[in-house]
Amino acid sequence: MKANLNLIFPPSSPVYVHNPHLEQMKDDILYHFNLGTATHNLPAMFGNVKFVCVGGSPWRMKAFIEYIAAELGLEDPKSEYPNICAGTDRYAMYKVGPVLSVSHGMGIPSISIMLHELIKLLYHAHCTDVTVIRIGTSGGIGLEPGTVVVTKQSVDATFLPKLEQVILGKTVVRSTDLDQGLAEELFQSSKELSQFETVIGNTMCTLDFYEGQARLDGAFCSYSEKDKQDYLAEAYKAGVRNIEMESSVFAAMCKLSGLRAAVVCVTLLDRLKGDQLNSSHEVLRNYQQRPQILVGHYIKKQLSASGKT
Amino acid sequence: MKANLNLIFPPSSPVYVHNPHLEQMKDDILYHFNLGTATHNLPAMFGNVKFVCVGGSPWRMKAFIEYIAAELGLEDPKSEYPNICAGTDRYAMYKVGPVLSVSHGMGIPSISIMLHELIKLLYHAHCTDVTVIRIGTSGGIGLEPGTVVVTKQSVDATFLPKLEQVILGKTVVRSTDLDQGLAEELFQSSKELSQFETVIGNTMCTLDFYEGQARLDGAFCSYSEKDKQDYLAEAYKAGVRNIEMESSVFAAMCKLSGLRAAVVCVTLLDRLKGDQLNSSHEVLRNYQQRPQILVGHYIKKQLSASGKT
């Protein structure tokens, strides 16, 4: 009987926290969002969230909420999308209908703080069936600049799909698996759109933008152009098509929380040909809209299919 | 003869880059500052910089430039301090006289990008005798909230004074030594001020705010209150008085570049007594001014002594 009922009412998937201490806390302050369970009605504010898009830059995440609002026909007539985290400058957060847009700054530690508080926010708000997509920028390997990469697997600087998380001074290894079905659906969406090149590939996640990504233009560089090219060629051989700085902890934390997760990053340059970002601002701005367009199309399609728009 | 000449004209200390490739580059784009050698006259804009103060929050770094301008009697009559990096939202930068104030976001990767570009900026601008001070926030161990910690040594999550930097997939260990003389001078300045408690102690630098700092209030927590207390007690025994997320790479990179560097952080709470930041915003704002007041006093004293104000 249970299987049949599930066909009629598919079981909804909650957002998991894994912390027995949370239940003993009277309130929970989400400090870096300037939100909290005692001061905000989180279920009323966020209970209907189904898609969370995250990206490094607060400006870009504001642009995304304006874009998706127009796409979904949910525009505010005054075009006002207030920053929900206006009381802090650590992160910016915007919402329209079932879509939340949150900035996360640069690097694993910065996005990790945001994700801890986002996961608790979704949990406190009793959200179900949430999909989280990182829409970011990256350096490409062997791709035309402007190509969008949907991440198959997030790998570390030795090309292994793992995140080393230090807990109480001891290293714990976590898997960086992403939702393969979601990656495939996003890739299909891009084919339908047919506006720009999109590939599925591995994404290398590093702790550093210069030495960690074999750049020759940092303040320090102890290796040669050949060392750099050899390293990037090795990465390419391991299936790496782009490099960024957040995907591994994003994948690991979303997986632990039962969130469907994907990473969609545009490549701003081909690292085999250079290190400096010297395209014009207009070109770079155009590139940065591509993950938004792809993910916007996907969200619209999903909401149409579920009869929610 | 050389020693005598040095007494009359003390040799000025430049800012070092360690990258032979930089000399072969026609231009250098400091992408995350939206500045560059081809588009900006960096020596004219920054050549007189002697003190750089850095901190996570852009709002706080703007407040600092206003504060130091008043302290040094260099106020803009219209109180306008434009953000030099207004073309990007990655970092904010303000300048008054010989003082530069730059935000760095949260975590080692975020401050590391900023420091690569800051070191190149100071190098391109031909700056000499530069002191860099991080003015930040932290969690204290066994200290009254609001206590300021001047860092003796920055240590990792196993209490060792080292930074593991991954270069081309291989781990290189760097020293996190800070300038002991500068730390002592800052501690003396605080004694002169006598406005709040200040201590010298070790600072633990972690890659994560929740599990990495033994907090019980993250989305995930696999350890007990006792495990947490044991870990923090061990840290205290190793001389750790506060925990933050940037000091190790800050110390390592400044040391490599020949920059005198110090870390001055206020403790927002005592981690032995809790994890949540539940003091009022007013109290937290007051605490956050303390490193600014201390460092402001120190800079004023230094400039007076050198006859520059």
Side-chain angles (χ1 to χ4, degrees):
Chain A
M1 279 306 284
K2 200 176 166 208
N4 282 351
L5 273 174
N6 281 351
L7 281 176
I8 308 166
F9 302 107
S12 64
S13 171
V15 178
Y16 296 105
V17 294
H18 297 277
N19 183 354
H21 304 284
L22 284 184
E23 278 170 39
Q24 293 152 32
M25 285 163 54
K26 202 173 136 252
D27 310 322
D28 188 9
I29 297 170
L30 308 174
Y31 177 70
H32 301 86
F33 286 157
N34 199 36
L35 296 172
T37 54
T39 47
H40 298 79
N41 185 341
L42 299 180
M45 289 173 77
F46 300 105
N48 69 337
V49 168
K50 295 296 175 199
F51 296 93
V52 184
C53 295
V54 303
S57 145
W59 294 355
R60 192 160 14 92
M61 298 325 290
K62 179 157 200 220
F64 177 70
I65 212 71
E66 289 166 2
Y67 175 77
I68 195 79
E71 275 294 291
L72 301 180
L74 296 172
E75 294 111 310
D76 184 302
K78 290 188 215 138
S79 282
E80 277 177 19
Y81 302 96
N83 177 4
I84 298 168
C85 300
T88 175
D89 61 350
R90 299 300 192 169
Y91 303 110
M93 184 188 284
Y94 305 93
K95 183 178 182 296
V96 64
V99 182
L100 196 65
S101 176
V102 195
S103 74
H104 56 58
M106 289 185 286
I108 288 176
S110 186
I111 193 175
S112 144
I113 299 174
M114 191 282 281
L115 287 173
H116 269 282
E117 299 185 13
L118 175 68
I119 290 163
K120 293 200 293 175
L121 181 154
L122 297 172
Y123 169 77
H124 291 311
H126 313 303
C127 294
T128 56
D129 304 313
V130 178
T131 297
V132 189
I133 305 177
R134 165 161 148 70
I135 48 176
T137 57
S138 63
I141 306 183
L143 300 174
E144 199 61 39
T147 303
V148 172
V149 179
V150 177
T151 302
K152 187 176 175 189
Q153 213 163 26
S154 171
V155 300
D156 67 10
T158 64
F159 322 130
L160 296 174
K162 64 183 174 67
L163 170 77
E164 297 196 345
Q165 170 76 41
V166 179
I167 302 177
L168 307 183
K170 289 181 188 68
T171 301
V172 173
V173 175
R174 286 182 174 160
S175 147
T176 57
D177 282 349
L178 290 159
D179 190 302
Q180 292 306 306
L182 179 59
E184 196 51 51
E185 287 170 38
L186 285 162
F187 185 59
Q188 286 305 324
S189 284
S190 177
K191 276 192 186 163
E192 289 160 26
L193 268 174
S194 194
Q195 288 184 21
F196 40 80
E197 193 68 33
T198 302
V199 301
I200 290 195
N202 290 345
T203 297
M204 181 159 77
C205 181
T206 67
L207 280 164
D208 176 47
F209 184 80
Y210 288 96
E211 294 173 287
Q213 298 188 6
R215 272 190 162 79
L216 301 173
D217 63 339
F220 318 126
C221 180
S222 54
Y223 41 87
S224 68
E225 165 85 36
K226 184 178 178 303
D227 295 335
K228 167 197 157 172
Q229 293 293 345
D230 289 351
Y231 181 65
L232 294 184
E234 225 187 309
Y236 190 89
K237 234 172 78 184
V240 174
R241 292 296 174 270
N242 66 337
I243 314 177
E244 44 80 271
M245 299 177 66
E246 294 86 15
S247 60
S248 65
V249 78
F250 171 83
M253 291 181 71
C254 289
K255 190 180 159 79
L256 282 171
S257 309
L259 291 160
R260 283 191 97 196
V263 177
V264 179
C265 289
V266 71
T267 59
L268 298 182
L269 78 170
D270 181 358
R271 290 294 318 290
L272 299 181
K273 293 182 182 159
D275 298 321
Q276 292 243 307
L277 285 157
N278 46 19
S279 298
S280 75
H281 271 260
E282 205 168 314
V283 166
L284 292 176
R285 202 177 311 124
N286 172 286
Y287 289 168
Q288 293 184 35
Q289 287 166 351
R290 294 180 176 184
Q292 303 188 19
I293 293 167
L294 197 170
V295 170
H297 179 76
Y298 172 77
I299 291 176
K300 193 176 173 182
K301 210 169 63 169
Q302 292 301 109
L303 291 173
S304 300
S306 68
K308 280 174 187 154
T309 54
Chain B
M1 280 304 286
K2 201 175 166 208
N4 283 352
L5 273 174
N6 282 351
L7 282 177
I8 309 165
F9 303 108
S12 64
S13 171
V15 178
Y16 296 105
V17 295
H18 297 278
N19 183 354
H21 305 284
L22 284 184
E23 278 171 41
Q24 293 151 32
M25 286 163 56
K26 203 175 134 249
D27 310 321
D28 189 9
I29 297 169
L30 309 174
Y31 177 70
H32 301 86
F33 286 157
N34 199 38
L35 296 173
T37 53
T39 47
H40 298 80
N41 184 343
L42 300 180
M45 289 173 77
F46 300 104
N48 69 336
V49 168
K50 295 295 175 197
F51 297 93
V52 185
C53 295
V54 304
S57 146
W59 293 355
R60 190 159 18 90
M61 297 326 289
K62 180 158 199 217
F64 177 70
I65 213 70
E66 290 166 1
Y67 174 77
I68 195 78
E71 275 294 291
L72 301 181
L74 295 172
E75 295 112 311
D76 184 301
K78 290 189 215 140
S79 283
E80 278 176 18
Y81 302 96
N83 177 4
I84 297 168
C85 300
T88 175
D89 62 350
R90 300 299 190 170
Y91 303 110
M93 184 187 285
Y94 304 93
K95 182 176 182 298
V96 65
V99 183
L100 196 64
S101 175
V102 194
S103 74
H104 55 59
M106 288 185 286
I108 287 175
S110 186
I111 193 175
S112 141
I113 298 175
M114 191 283 282
L115 287 173
H116 269 282
E117 299 185 13
L118 174 68
I119 290 163
K120 291 199 295 176
L121 181 154
L122 298 172
Y123 169 76
H124 291 310
H126 313 303
C127 294
T128 55
D129 304 312
V130 178
T131 297
V132 189
I133 305 178
R134 166 163 147 71
I135 47 176
T137 58
S138 63
I141 306 183
L143 298 175
E144 199 61 38
T147 303
V148 172
V149 179
V150 177
T151 302
K152 188 176 174 189
Q153 212 163 26
S154 171
V155 300
D156 68 9
T158 63
F159 322 130
L160 296 174
K162 64 183 174 67
L163 169 77
E164 297 195 347
Q165 170 77 41
V166 179
I167 303 177
L168 307 183
K170 290 182 185 68
T171 301
V172 172
V173 174
R174 285 183 175 160
S175 147
T176 57
D177 282 348
L178 290 159
D179 191 301
Q180 293 305 307
L182 179 59
E184 196 51 52
E185 286 169 38
L186 286 161
F187 185 60
Q188 287 304 324
S189 284
S190 177
K191 277 192 187 163
E192 288 160 25
L193 269 174
S194 193
Q195 288 183 22
F196 41 79
E197 192 68 32
T198 301
V199 301
I200 289 195
N202 290 345
T203 297
M204 181 160 77
C205 181
T206 68
L207 280 165
D208 176 47
F209 185 80
Y210 287 97
E211 294 172 288
Q213 297 187 7
R215 273 189 161 79
L216 301 172
D217 64 339
F220 317 126
C221 180
S222 54
Y223 40 87
S224 67
E225 164 84 36
K226 185 177 177 304
D227 294 335
K228 167 197 156 171
Q229 292 293 347
D230 289 350
Y231 181 65
L232 294 184
E234 225 186 309
Y236 191 89
K237 233 172 77 184
V240 174
R241 293 297 173 269
N242 66 338
I243 314 176
E244 45 79 91
M245 300 177 67
E246 293 87 14
S247 60
S248 65
V249 79
F250 171 82
M253 291 180 71
C254 288
K255 190 179 158 77
L256 282 172
S257 308
L259 292 160
R260 283 191 96 193
V263 177
V264 179
C265 290
V266 71
T267 59
L268 299 181
L269 79 170
D270 182 358
R271 291 294 318 291
L272 299 180
K273 293 182 181 159
D275 298 321
Q276 292 243 307
L277 285 157
N278 47 18
S279 297
S280 75
H281 272 259
E282 205 168 315
V283 166
L284 291 176
R285 200 176 314 122
N286 173 286
Y287 288 169
Q288 293 184 36
Q289 287 166 351
R290 294 181 176 183
Q292 302 187 21
I293 293 168
L294 197 170
V295 170
H297 179 76
Y298 172 76
I299 291 176
K300 193 176 173 181
K301 209 168 63 168
Q302 292 300 110
L303 290 174
S304 300
S306 67
K308 280 177 187 153
T309 54

